[in-house]
Amino acid sequence: MGSPGGRSSPSARGSLQHLFLFLLFVGPFNCFASYSRATELFYSLNEGLPAGVLIGSLARDLRLPMSGGQRPAAPQPPLSFTLASRGLGGQYVHLDNRSGELHTSALEIDREALCMESGGANVPGEANTVFLSSSSSSADSCLLLLDVLVLPQEYFRLVKVKIAIRDVNDNAPHFPVPHIRLSVPENAPVNTRLAIEHPALDPDVGTNGVQTYRLRDNYGVFTLDVEENESGERTPYLIVMGALDRETREEYVTVIVAEDGGSPPLVGSATLTIGISDINDNCPQFSDSQLNITLYGNSSLGTHVATVHAVDLDLGSNAQITYSYSQKVPQPSRDLFHLDESTGVITLSSKVDGNTPRLHRLIILGNGPGCIPAVITVLVTIIKVMMRPPEVVPRFIANEVEGVVYLKELEPINTPIAFFTIKDPDEKYKVNCYLDGDGPFRLSPYKPYNNEYLLETTKPLDYETQQLYEISVVAWNSEGFNVNKVIKIQVLDDNDNSPVFSQQLIELSIEENNVPNAFLTKLHATDADSGERGEVSYFLGPDAPSYFSLDKTTGVLTVATQLDREEKEKYRYTVKAVDSGFPPRESIATVTITVLDKNDNSPRFINTDFSFFVPENFPGFGEIGVISVTDADAGQNGWVALSVLNGSDIFVIDTGKGVLRAKVSLDREQQSSYVLWIEAVDGGDPALSSTAKITILLLDINDNPPLVLFPQSNMSYLLVLPSTLPGSPITEVYAVDKDTGMNAVIAYSIIGRRGPRPESFRIDPKTGNITLEESLMQNDYGLYRLLVKVSDHGYPEPLHSTVMVNLFVNDTVSNESYIESLLRKEPDISIEEKQPQVSVEPTHKKMESASCMPTLVALSIISLGSITLVTGMGIYICLRKGKKHHRADENLEVQIPLNGRINLHMLEKKPVEISNI
C-alpha cells in the first residue's frame, strides 16, 4: 500500500478485494473461536485505600490496541469493558468502560470485614464478583474476583480478574473478655506452665496479628511465654517463677498486654487476676497447751466447764477441725464430761457424787485432714460441796421462747414479766434473792406469799435506745452458796418514730437553662424504727410545681424542664418522708431552690430608635437625653455599659445613668442632625450586646443675622434716569439668613433717607425690591442714600443687618470721582425706628378708629401739600446753584445697571460689610 492519502495501483486494489473475500469467509469461525478464549489477570492492593486509586489497566495488561496509537489499516470500533455481573464486587471497584482502567470506588475496602465474614465461600448467585479466602494458597490471602467482558466481537473475551487484598495493621489486639481469672495452687513448683484460656484476638493477619504478650507487673514470681500451634495460633502461658503461699498472699492482680507486629505496633490489654488456691499445708494449732478449770461438786447437769479452740490457716475443707479425747483419757472422765467434737465445748454430763475423783486430766486432740493432731490438756478440779445450792424456778407471764422474753416497746410501767419461786432444796437455810444487771426492771417480793418474787418493768422500753437486755436473778443462802438465773429480754419494735430529715430546710441552687431532668439533690431521711416501719418513701408536697419530680424510693429530686431565672428566681415547696408502718408516720421538710443567673439576656433598650430635639448652641456636656436600657439578668450579668459607636469625638454617654452629652456646642448651621449608634454591653462572660439608633435633631435659634448679598458694598451706586416712571423697579436688596423657620424670614425696611426728595423711593418689606413712588422733577436730581434695615423674625429677639443703597438721579454720570467722594462722606441720616410691616393684621383698636380716618386724611393732604410746595421751591433754588458749580462734570458718563429686576444668580454675590444697629 502507498502512503496515507495516495492513490492505489490496480494490482493493489485487486489484492484488497481478495483479502476482503477471505475475511468474509473466515470471520465467523474467528469470532466463534474468540468465545472460547479466557484470560486471567492478577492484581493486589492494600485495604483501606481512598477512592480513585488505580488498580490496573485491563487494556494495557491484555495488550489490546487502543485508539490514539498507530492508526490501523481499516477503522475499528472502540473497545468496551463491562463487568459481567453487578454483584458485591462492583461496589468496591470502578471500571472505566472505555479505557479499561480499574480504580477503587468510594466504598472503602475492609479486608477483615469482607473476608472474615464471607468465610472463604462464594456468594450465592454472584459467582462473578465474590470475596474469597483462597484455600489453595496461603491462609492469609483474600481475593476479590471479577468477571470482565471485552467487546466488540473482534476482541471479545472473558477476563478473570483476581484482586488480592493486602492486610494493613489497622486493628489492635483485643481480649474477648476484659477480666481474665486464673487459679494456681500454692504448691505449684517453679516453671509450672498454665495456659491462659482467653488469648487476644487480632483480625489482622501475618505479622500484623498478635506476636507477643507481657505482664505489666509480674510481682517477681510470674512471667509469660507464647506457644504457636500448627495452624499458627499463638497461646500465652503463665509460668510460675517463684514459691507461692496462699496464707501470705491469696491473689495477684496485674494487666496482660498483647502486642502485634505492625509498624508501629498496636496493643490491647485485659486485667489478669491470679488466684492462689489453697492446699492443706497447715495443721490445727491451740493457742495454749493447758487449761485449769475449777468446778463445784454441786453443779447441775449441763453446766459449762470449758471450751477449747484450735486454728487452721487453710481454707474450706482443709481448715475443718474436729475435737476428740485422747486414748489416754480414762472412761470415767469421758463419762463425766461431754466434749462436742465440732465446737470443742466441754459440759458436765453426770452428777458429781462422793465417789467422783477430785482431779480430771482431759487430753483433747484438734484433728485436721492429713495432719498430726494438736494437743491441749484441760485440768478440771472438782470442789466437793456437802449442801445443795438454792433453786430458782421461773414462771413467765410475758411471751417467752427458749429463755428469751419478748416485750413490745412502749409497754406501760409495771408490766409483769415473770414470777420467780426461790427455795432451799434442803429446807435448812434461809434463801434471799436480788436482781443483777442494768435495765428498767424491778424484782420485788410478791406478798402475801413467801419466796415468791415478781419481775416487772419500771418505765417504758424504747427499742431505738436498746433492743436487748440481759439480767440475772441471783439467789443465795445463809452459807454463802448462790445460783443465778439469766433472763434475756428482747424489745420488739413498734412504729413510734417518724422519719427525720437530715435537714429541715434544704437550700439548693441550680443555674438557669439547665438540661431537662437535671439532678438537684438526693433527699435523706432516717427512721429509727426497724423493718418495714423504718422504710422511708419520699413525696412532693401539694405546693410543689408539676415540673419537679421526686423518686419515691431513692429520694432523688430532679427538675424536668429548663428553669428561667428571669421568669422565676426562687422556688419554695415542701417534701414529705413517709414510713411504711401502720398507721404510717411522716415528717415534712422545706426545699428552697435558687435559680442562678446565666448571661442569657442581651441588654434591651426601651426603644430601638431614640429621637432628641436639642436647641443649637447647647452648652458643652449639657444633658441631651437619657438612654434607658435594661438587662433581665442579675449581678454582673445585668450590669450594662453604654458606649457610642460612631461620633465618639463629639458625643459621650454616661455609662451608669445613660445620659447622652455633647462634648462641644452644636451649631445647626454646620450640621442640622446627627445619627448615632449606641451599644449596650453587659458584664457577662461572654458578654452580650445590643445597639440602638439615636437621632439628634438640632432646633434652630436665632443666632445668625441676615447676610446681605446685594448690594455688595455700601459704596456702590446706581444711576436712575429722571425719566423713570413711577412704580418702576429700581433695584433690590437681597439677603439670606442661615437660620430656619421664622428665624430665617426676612423683612426689609428703609430706616434712614438722604437726598433731594428721599420719599420718592420705597422698599417692598417682603422682597426687598426698591421702586420709584413719584415722578422725578428737575429739582430731584442728585444722590439719594437709603439706609436699609434687613431684619429676621427670630425669637426671642430678631436680628438685623443694614446696608446703604445709593441712587444717583441724573441723565448721565459725567463725574464718577465726584460721586465717589460723596459716597465716602459719612451720611447725615436720621434713623427712623420703625419696624418693617411684612403683613398687617388689623386689630380691634384700629377698627374703632376707622370712623376718624376721613378727617385725618383730609387734614394730612392739606398739610402735605403746603410742605411739598415750600420744599419744592427750596430744592429748585438749590439745584440751580448746584448746576453752576458742577457744569464741568456733566460730560462724565458711567454705565451702571439701571432699574429692572437684577438677575442675582448672574452676579457674584459677595457678603457686604454689615453694621448692626
Side-chain angles (χ1 to χ4, degrees):
M1 294 182 62
S3 61
R7 298 179 60 87
S8 302
S9 64
S11 61
R13 287 198 300 271
S15 300
L16 287 175
Q17 291 175 358
H18 289 89
L19 179 61
F20 179 72
L21 292 175
F22 174 76
L23 290 176
L24 286 177
F25 178 77
V26 301
F29 299 98
N30 185 32
C31 293
F32 178 80
S34 298
Y35 279 100
S36 64
R37 287 186 295 170
T39 307
E40 185 175 283
L41 294 178
F42 182 82
Y43 300 105
S44 64
L45 76 160
N46 291 340
E47 62 174 325
L49 293 178
V53 176
L54 177 63
I55 300 173
S57 175
L58 273 64
R60 182 189 63 211
D61 298 336
L62 294 173
R63 303 179 184 276
L64 296 176
M66 296 295 296
S67 60
Q70 184 177 0
R71 186 168 60 184
Q76 297 179 0
L79 292 174
S80 174
F81 299 87
T82 309
L83 289 175
S85 175
R86 281 289 179 182
L88 293 176
Q91 301 177 7
Y92 298 96
V93 295
H94 172 70
L95 177 63
D96 191 302
N97 293 338
R98 293 298 180 189
S99 66
E101 289 186 347
L102 200 61
H103 295 84
T104 56
S105 68
L107 185 59
E108 184 178 288
I109 298 177
D110 185 356
R111 180 189 183 280
E112 291 74 31
L114 298 179
C115 293
M116 296 301 180
E117 291 178 2
S118 64
N122 293 339
V123 179
E126 298 184 0
N128 292 328
T129 54
V130 298
F131 303 101
L132 181 67
S133 291
S134 176
S135 60
S136 62
S137 61
S138 172
D140 296 339
S141 62
C142 176
L143 299 180
L144 175 61
L145 302 184
L146 303 174
D147 287 349
V148 179
L149 298 177
V150 182
L151 296 173
Q153 289 188 353
E154 288 84 344
Y155 301 99
F156 172 78
R157 67 184 66 190
L158 175 64
V159 181
K160 297 284 187 177
V161 179
K162 294 182 180 181
I163 303 174
I165 310 301
R166 292 193 298 265
D167 182 50
V168 298
N169 192 26
D170 58 345
N171 292 280
H174 69 279
F175 288 87
V177 292
H179 192 178
I180 303 173
R181 186 169 186 87
L182 193 64
S183 180
V184 180
E186 62 176 327
N187 64 341
V190 176
N191 294 328
T192 298
R193 301 170 65 88
L194 299 168
I196 297 177
E197 297 180 355
H198 301 284
L201 305 176
D202 193 330
D204 297 324
V205 296
T207 57
N208 293 331
V210 178
Q211 299 296 316
T212 61
Y213 292 88
R214 68 175 184 272
L215 294 177
R216 191 165 293 174
D217 186 359
N218 58 20
Y219 296 98
V221 292
F222 298 106
T223 187
L224 287 179
D225 190 17
V226 179
E227 290 186 4
E228 184 175 354
N229 58 17
E230 296 178 355
S231 61
E233 295 179 353
R234 296 173 180 265
T235 303
Y237 280 81
L238 181 71
I239 302 176
V240 179
M241 301 297 295
L244 303 175
D245 185 6
R246 190 206 62 81
E247 288 73 34
T248 302
R249 183 165 188 167
E250 62 181 4
E251 186 177 75
Y252 297 85
V253 179
T254 184
V255 175
I256 181 172
V257 179
E259 182 175 309
D260 63 21
S263 179
L266 303 178
V267 297
S269 62
T271 301
L272 176 63
T273 301
I274 305 170
I276 309 303
S277 59
D278 185 54
I279 64 169
N280 192 24
D281 58 344
N282 290 279
C283 291
Q285 291 183 352
F286 288 106
S287 57
D288 297 316
S289 61
Q290 181 172 311
L291 293 178
N292 296 319
I293 304 299
T294 301
L295 181 68
Y296 288 101
N298 60 353
S299 298
S300 58
L301 297 178
T303 299
H304 177 269
V305 177
T307 299
V308 294
H309 181 69
V311 177
D312 192 323
L313 297 178
D314 293 326
L315 294 176
S317 60
N318 294 330
Q320 290 183 354
I321 302 175
T322 59
Y323 302 93
S324 62
Y325 284 125
S326 170
Q327 296 294 331
K328 297 180 180 180
V329 178
Q331 190 62 40
S333 296
R334 293 170 182 262
D335 296 336
L336 184 61
F337 301 103
H338 174 262
L339 174 61
D340 190 303
E341 65 176 8
S342 299
T343 63
V345 175
I346 304 172
T347 55
L348 184 64
S349 60
S350 298
K351 279 280 189 177
V352 177
D353 54 26
N355 298 323
T356 302
R358 295 183 58 186
L359 182 62
H360 296 266
R361 186 181 185 88
L362 305 177
I363 300 174
I364 300 175
L365 305 178
N367 304 296
C371 290
I372 300 175
V375 180
I376 187 172
T377 301
V378 179
L379 291 177
V380 182
T381 302
I382 298 177
I383 302 175
K384 293 186 177 181
V385 180
M386 299 306 297
M387 62 183 67
R388 290 182 293 176
E391 293 182 357
V392 178
V393 180
R395 289 169 294 169
F396 292 99
I397 301 171
N399 183 28
E400 180 267 339
V401 177
E402 296 182 356
V404 180
V405 178
Y406 295 92
L407 290 178
K408 289 185 178 180
E409 65 174 335
L410 303 181
E411 288 281 1
I413 301 175
N414 301 325
T415 296
I417 299 173
F419 277 112
F420 289 90
T421 301
I422 309 300
K423 63 181 181 179
D424 180 18
D426 299 328
E427 296 182 357
K428 295 180 180 180
Y429 306 99
K430 182 180 179 181
V431 179
N432 296 311
C433 71
Y434 64 92
L435 188 64
D436 185 25
D438 297 329
F441 306 103
R442 176 176 58 212
L443 183 66
S444 57
Y446 189 73
K447 296 181 179 180
Y449 303 103
N450 293 326
N451 296 332
E452 294 289 341
Y453 293 86
L454 177 64
L455 179 63
E456 58 186 353
T457 61
T458 58
K459 62 180 181 179
L461 303 177
D462 187 3
Y463 174 86
E464 289 71 37
T465 303
Q466 189 169 342
Q467 295 86 34
L468 181 65
Y469 295 89
E470 188 170 320
I471 58 178
S472 298
V473 177
V474 182
W476 85 97
N477 59 18
S478 55
E479 295 297 324
F481 290 96
N482 60 71
V483 67
N484 62 337
K485 181 66 175 179
V486 177
I487 308 296
K488 292 183 179 180
I489 299 176
Q490 177 68 54
V491 181
L492 301 178
D493 187 31
D494 199 357
N495 193 31
D496 60 337
N497 290 279
S498 299
V500 177
F501 281 100
S502 56
Q503 293 175 284
Q504 287 299 312
L505 178 61
I506 303 166
E507 296 178 323
L508 307 173
S509 62
I510 184 174
E511 281 192 342
E512 63 177 331
N513 304 330
N514 55 281
V515 297
N517 300 315
F519 172 83
L520 293 175
T521 190
K522 183 176 182 180
L523 303 181
H524 180 66
T526 57
D527 194 317
D529 294 324
S530 62
E532 293 183 354
R533 293 171 292 274
E535 295 178 358
V536 180
S537 300
Y538 302 90
F539 302 94
L540 289 173
D543 54 345
S546 60
Y547 40 83
F548 289 95
S549 60
L550 180 60
D551 190 278
K552 175 182 177 182
T553 305
T554 64
V556 172
L557 181 64
T558 57
V559 56
T561 186
Q562 281 191 346
L563 300 180
D564 187 358
R565 188 204 66 82
E566 289 72 37
E567 180 179 337
K568 190 171 183 179
E569 184 175 4
K570 288 189 177 293
Y571 295 86
R572 185 183 181 94
Y573 52 86
T574 57
V575 291
K576 294 191 299 182
V578 183
D579 64 21
S580 301
F582 183 80
R585 302 174 71 97
E586 67 180 39
S587 62
I588 296 176
T590 301
V591 175
T592 63
I593 301 174
T594 302
V595 183
L596 303 179
D597 185 54
K598 290 183 71 174
N599 193 29
D600 59 342
N601 290 277
S602 301
R604 178 175 296 179
F605 292 91
I606 59 172
N607 294 315
T608 57
D609 195 344
F610 291 84
S611 296
F612 296 108
F613 296 88
V614 181
E616 65 173 333
N617 300 334
F618 196 68
F621 292 97
E623 181 178 323
I624 295 176
V626 178
I627 311 299
S628 298
V629 61
T630 60
D631 195 312
D633 294 322
Q636 185 174 350
N637 293 333
W639 180 84
V640 180
L642 298 174
S643 61
V644 181
L645 295 180
N646 62 324
S648 57
D649 53 337
I650 301 177
F651 297 94
V652 66
I653 191 166
D654 188 335
T655 296
K657 299 180 180 179
V659 177
L660 181 64
R661 305 176 190 273
K663 298 179 182 179
V664 297
S665 179
L666 304 178
D667 187 357
R668 190 204 64 80
E669 285 72 37
Q670 293 183 3
Q671 187 170 340
S672 61
S673 65
Y674 296 87
V675 176
L676 304 179
W677 289 96
I678 303 297
E679 182 182 38
V681 181
D682 61 24
D685 184 18
L688 300 178
S689 63
S690 61
T691 57
K693 180 182 178 183
I694 312 296
T695 303
I696 302 173
L697 300 173
L698 297 182
L699 301 177
D700 185 53
I701 63 173
N702 195 27
D703 60 343
N704 291 280
L707 180 64
V708 178
L709 300 179
F710 187 84
Q712 298 181 357
S713 171
N714 288 336
M715 300 300 291
S716 62
Y717 63 93
L718 184 69
L719 176 65
V720 180
L721 297 176
S723 61
T724 303
L725 297 177
S728 298
I730 304 301
T731 185
E732 72 171 345
V733 177
Y734 180 74
V736 294
D737 196 315
K738 294 182 180 179
D739 296 322
T740 59
M742 292 303 294
N743 296 332
V745 176
I746 298 175
Y748 302 89
S749 62
I750 299 175
I751 61 173
R753 303 169 186 265
R754 183 179 177 83
R757 189 152 58 98
E759 293 83 4
S760 301
F761 301 95
R762 69 175 293 273
I763 190 168
D764 189 300
K766 291 184 179 180
T767 64
N769 289 335
I770 297 176
T771 58
L772 179 65
E773 290 295 306
E774 301 174 0
S775 298
L776 297 173
M777 302 298 184
Q778 190 174 4
N779 295 334
D780 298 336
Y781 284 37
L783 180 64
Y784 290 79
R785 308 197 74 176
L786 304 178
L787 182 60
V788 177
K789 179 181 179 181
V790 184
S791 176
D792 59 24
H793 285 64
Y795 178 83
E797 183 176 349
L799 301 179
H800 66 270
S801 301
T802 60
V803 65
M804 187 69 74
V805 179
N806 302 301
L807 304 175
F808 184 63
V809 179
N810 202 1
D811 293 325
T812 61
V813 178
S814 59
N815 190 352
E816 185 176 355
S817 60
Y818 169 72
I819 298 174
E820 291 177 354
S821 65
L822 293 177
L823 294 175
R824 281 193 292 270
K825 293 180 181 181
E826 187 69 27
D828 184 12
I829 299 176
S830 59
I831 298 175
E832 303 172 5
E833 292 296 336
K834 180 172 68 174
Q835 295 295 331
Q837 298 296 326
V838 177
S839 60
V840 179
E841 296 180 5
T843 61
H844 182 65
K845 291 182 179 181
K846 291 180 180 180
M847 295 180 65
E848 290 178 353
S849 61
S851 59
C852 301
M853 287 299 293
T855 305
L856 293 175
V857 170
L859 293 174
S860 298
I861 292 173
I862 296 171
S863 300
L864 184 59
S866 301
I867 294 171
T868 303
L869 180 60
V870 175
T871 303
M873 292 177 66
I875 293 172
Y876 176 75
I877 295 170
C878 292
L879 289 174
R880 287 183 65 85
K881 292 180 178 179
K883 287 181 180 180
K884 294 179 179 179
H885 293 90
H886 304 290
R887 191 171 301 273
D889 299 332
E890 289 181 355
N891 295 327
L892 296 175
E893 293 183 2
V894 177
Q895 294 185 3
I896 300 176
L898 300 179
N899 53 10
R901 295 193 61 85
I902 300 174
N903 188 353
L904 298 176
H905 298 287
M906 298 298 294
L907 297 175
E908 182 181 359
K909 298 181 179 180
K910 297 181 180 179
V912 302
E913 296 179 1
I914 298 174
S915 60
N916 291 329
I917 299 178

Coordinates of all heavy atoms in Angstrom, one line a residue, residues 853-892:
M853 N -61.0 108.3 60.1 CA -60.0 108.3 59.1 C -60.3 109.4 58.0 O -59.3 110.1 57.5 CB -60.0 106.9 58.4 CG -59.3 105.9 59.3 SD -57.6 106.3 59.6 CE -56.9 106.1 57.9
P854 N -61.5 109.6 57.5 CA -61.7 110.7 56.5 C -61.2 112.0 56.9 O -60.5 112.7 56.2 CB -63.2 110.7 56.3 CG -63.6 109.3 56.7 CD -62.7 108.9 57.9
T855 N -61.4 112.4 58.2 CA -61.0 113.7 58.7 C -59.5 113.8 58.7 O -58.9 114.8 58.3 CB -61.6 114.0 60.0 OG1 -63.0 113.8 60.0 CG2 -61.2 115.4 60.5
L856 N -58.9 112.7 59.2 CA -57.4 112.7 59.3 C -56.8 112.8 57.9 O -55.7 113.4 57.7 CB -56.9 111.5 60.1 CG -57.3 111.5 61.6 CD1 -56.9 110.1 62.2 CD2 -56.7 112.6 62.3
V857 N -57.3 112.1 57.0 CA -56.8 112.0 55.6 C -56.9 113.4 55.0 O -55.9 113.9 54.4 CB -57.5 111.0 54.8 CG1 -57.1 111.2 53.3 CG2 -57.2 109.6 55.2
A858 N -57.9 114.1 55.2 CA -58.1 115.4 54.6 C -57.1 116.4 55.2 O -56.4 117.2 54.5 CB -59.5 115.9 54.8
L859 N -57.0 116.4 56.5 CA -56.0 117.3 57.1 C -54.6 117.0 56.7 O -53.8 117.9 56.5 CB -56.1 117.2 58.7 CG -57.4 117.7 59.3 CD1 -57.5 117.4 60.8 CD2 -57.6 119.2 59.0
S860 N -54.3 115.7 56.5 CA -52.9 115.3 56.1 C -52.6 115.8 54.7 O -51.5 116.2 54.4 CB -52.8 113.8 56.2 OG -53.0 113.3 57.5
I861 N -53.6 115.7 53.8 CA -53.4 116.1 52.4 C -53.1 117.6 52.4 O -52.2 118.1 51.7 CB -54.6 115.8 51.6 CG1 -54.7 114.2 51.4 CG2 -54.5 116.4 50.2 CD1 -55.9 113.8 50.7
I862 N -53.8 118.4 53.1 CA -53.6 119.8 53.1 C -52.3 120.2 53.7 O -51.5 121.0 53.1 CB -54.7 120.5 54.0 CG1 -56.1 120.3 53.3 CG2 -54.5 122.0 54.1 CD1 -57.3 120.8 54.1
S863 N -51.9 119.5 54.8 CA -50.6 119.8 55.4 C -49.5 119.4 54.5 O -48.5 120.1 54.3 CB -50.4 119.1 56.7 OG -51.5 119.5 57.6
L864 N -49.6 118.2 53.8 CA -48.6 117.7 53.0 C -48.4 118.5 51.7 O -47.3 118.8 51.2 CB -48.9 116.2 52.6 CG -47.9 115.5 51.7 CD1 -46.6 115.4 52.4 CD2 -48.4 114.1 51.4
G865 N -49.5 119.1 51.2 CA -49.4 120.0 50.1 C -48.6 121.2 50.3 O -47.8 121.7 49.5
S866 N -48.9 121.8 51.5 CA -48.2 123.0 51.9 C -46.7 122.7 52.0 O -45.8 123.5 51.6 CB -48.7 123.6 53.2 OG -50.1 123.8 53.1
I867 N -46.4 121.6 52.7 CA -45.0 121.3 52.9 C -44.3 121.0 51.6 O -43.2 121.4 51.4 CB -44.9 120.1 53.9 CG1 -45.4 120.5 55.3 CG2 -43.5 119.6 54.0 CD1 -45.5 119.3 56.2
T868 N -45.0 120.3 50.7 CA -44.4 120.0 49.4 C -44.1 121.2 48.6 O -43.1 121.3 47.9 CB -45.4 119.0 48.7 OG1 -45.6 117.9 49.4 CG2 -44.8 118.6 47.3
L869 N -45.0 122.2 48.7 CA -44.8 123.4 47.9 C -43.5 124.2 48.4 O -42.7 124.6 47.6 CB -46.0 124.3 48.0 CG -45.9 125.7 47.3 CD1 -45.7 125.5 45.8 CD2 -47.2 126.5 47.5
V870 N -43.4 124.3 49.7 CA -42.3 125.0 50.3 C -41.0 124.2 50.0 O -40.0 124.8 49.6 CB -42.5 125.2 51.8 CG1 -41.2 125.8 52.4 CG2 -43.7 126.1 52.0
T871 N -41.1 123.0 50.1 CA -39.9 122.1 49.9 C -39.4 122.2 48.5 O -38.3 122.3 48.1 CB -40.2 120.7 50.3 OG1 -40.6 120.6 51.7 CG2 -38.9 119.8 50.2
G872 N -40.4 122.1 47.6 CA -40.1 122.1 46.2 C -39.4 123.4 45.8 O -38.4 123.4 45.0
M873 N -39.8 124.5 46.3 CA -39.2 125.8 45.9 C -37.8 125.8 46.5 O -36.9 126.2 45.8 CB -40.0 126.9 46.6 CG -41.4 127.1 45.9 SD -42.3 128.4 46.7 CE -41.3 129.9 46.3
G874 N -37.6 125.3 47.6 CA -36.2 125.2 48.2 C -35.3 124.4 47.4 O -34.1 124.7 47.1
I875 N -35.8 123.2 46.9 CA -35.0 122.3 46.1 C -34.6 122.9 44.8 O -33.5 122.8 44.3 CB -35.7 121.0 45.9 CG1 -35.8 120.2 47.3 CG2 -35.0 120.1 44.9 CD1 -36.7 119.0 47.3
Y876 N -35.6 123.6 44.2 CA -35.3 124.2 42.9 C -34.2 125.2 43.0 O -33.3 125.3 42.1 CB -36.6 124.9 42.4 CG -36.5 125.6 41.1 CD1 -36.3 124.9 39.9 CD2 -36.4 127.0 41.1 CE1 -36.1 125.6 38.7 CE2 -36.2 127.7 39.9 CZ -36.1 127.0 38.7 OH -35.9 127.7 37.5
I877 N -34.2 126.0 44.0 CA -33.2 127.0 44.2 C -31.8 126.4 44.4 O -30.8 126.8 43.8 CB -33.5 128.0 45.4 CG1 -34.8 128.7 45.1 CG2 -32.4 128.9 45.7 CD1 -35.3 129.5 46.3
C878 N -31.8 125.3 45.2 CA -30.5 124.6 45.4 C -30.0 124.0 44.2 O -28.8 123.9 43.9 CB -30.7 123.6 46.5 SG -31.1 124.3 48.1
L879 N -30.9 123.4 43.4 CA -30.4 122.7 42.2 C -29.8 123.7 41.2 O -28.8 123.4 40.5 CB -31.6 122.0 41.5 CG -32.0 120.7 42.3 CD1 -33.3 120.1 41.6 CD2 -30.9 119.7 42.3
R880 N -30.4 124.9 41.1 CA -29.9 125.8 40.1 C -28.5 126.3 40.6 O -27.6 126.4 39.7 CB -30.8 127.1 40.1 CG -32.1 126.8 39.3 CD -32.9 128.0 39.2 NE -32.2 129.0 38.4 CZ -32.3 129.2 37.1 NH1 -33.0 128.3 36.4 NH2 -31.6 130.1 36.5
K881 N -28.3 126.4 41.9 CA -26.9 126.8 42.3 C -26.0 125.6 42.1 O -24.8 125.8 41.7 CB -26.9 127.1 43.8 CG -27.7 128.4 44.1 CD -27.7 128.7 45.6 CE -28.4 130.0 45.9 NZ -28.4 130.3 47.4
G882 N -26.4 124.4 42.2 CA -25.5 123.3 42.0 C -25.1 123.1 40.6 O -24.0 122.7 40.3
K883 N -26.0 123.5 39.6 CA -25.6 123.4 38.2 C -24.5 124.3 37.9 O -23.7 124.0 37.0 CB -26.8 123.6 37.4 CG -27.9 122.5 37.4 CD -29.0 122.8 36.5 CE -30.1 121.7 36.5 NZ -31.2 121.9 35.6
K884 N -24.5 125.4 38.5 CA -23.4 126.4 38.2 C -22.1 125.9 38.6 O -21.1 126.1 38.0 CB -23.7 127.8 38.8 CG -24.9 128.4 38.3 CD -25.2 129.8 39.0 CE -26.4 130.5 38.4 NZ -26.7 131.8 39.2
H885 N -22.0 125.2 39.8 CA -20.7 124.7 40.3 C -20.2 123.4 39.7 O -19.0 123.1 39.7 CB -20.8 124.5 41.8 CG -21.0 125.8 42.6 ND1 -22.3 126.3 42.9 CD2 -20.1 126.7 43.1 CE1 -22.2 127.4 43.5 NE2 -20.8 127.7 43.7
H886 N -21.1 122.7 39.1 CA -20.7 121.4 38.6 C -21.0 121.2 37.1 O -21.3 120.0 36.6 CB -21.5 120.3 39.4 CG -21.2 120.4 40.8 ND1 -20.0 120.1 41.4 CD2 -22.1 120.7 41.8 CE1 -20.1 120.2 42.7 NE2 -21.4 120.7 43.0
R887 N -21.0 122.2 36.4 CA -21.4 122.1 35.0 C -20.2 121.3 34.2 O -20.5 120.7 33.2 CB -21.6 123.5 34.3 CG -22.2 123.5 32.9 CD -22.6 124.9 32.5 NE -23.5 125.5 33.4 CZ -24.8 125.3 33.3 NH1 -25.3 124.6 32.3 NH2 -25.7 125.9 34.1
A888 N -19.0 121.4 34.8 CA -17.9 120.8 34.1 C -18.0 119.3 34.2 O -17.3 118.5 33.4 CB -16.6 121.2 34.7
D889 N -18.8 118.8 35.1 CA -18.9 117.3 35.2 C -20.0 116.7 34.5 O -20.2 115.5 34.6 CB -19.1 117.0 36.7 CG -17.9 117.5 37.6 OD1 -16.8 117.6 37.0 OD2 -18.1 117.8 38.8
E890 N -20.8 117.4 33.6 CA -21.9 116.9 33.0 C -21.6 115.9 31.9 O -22.4 115.1 31.5 CB -22.8 118.0 32.4 CG -23.5 118.8 33.5 CD -24.3 119.9 32.9 OE1 -24.3 120.1 31.6 OE2 -25.0 120.6 33.6
N891 N -20.3 116.0 31.3 CA -19.9 115.1 30.2 C -19.5 113.8 30.7 O -19.2 112.9 29.9 CB -18.8 115.8 29.4 CG -19.4 117.1 28.7 OD1 -20.6 117.1 28.4 ND2 -18.5 118.1 28.5
L892 N -19.3 113.6 32.0 CA -18.8 112.3 32.5 C -20.0 111.3 32.5 O -21.1 111.6 33.0 CB -18.3 112.4 33.9 CG -17.0 113.3 34.1 CD1 -16.7 113.4 35.6 CD2 -15.9 112.7 33.3

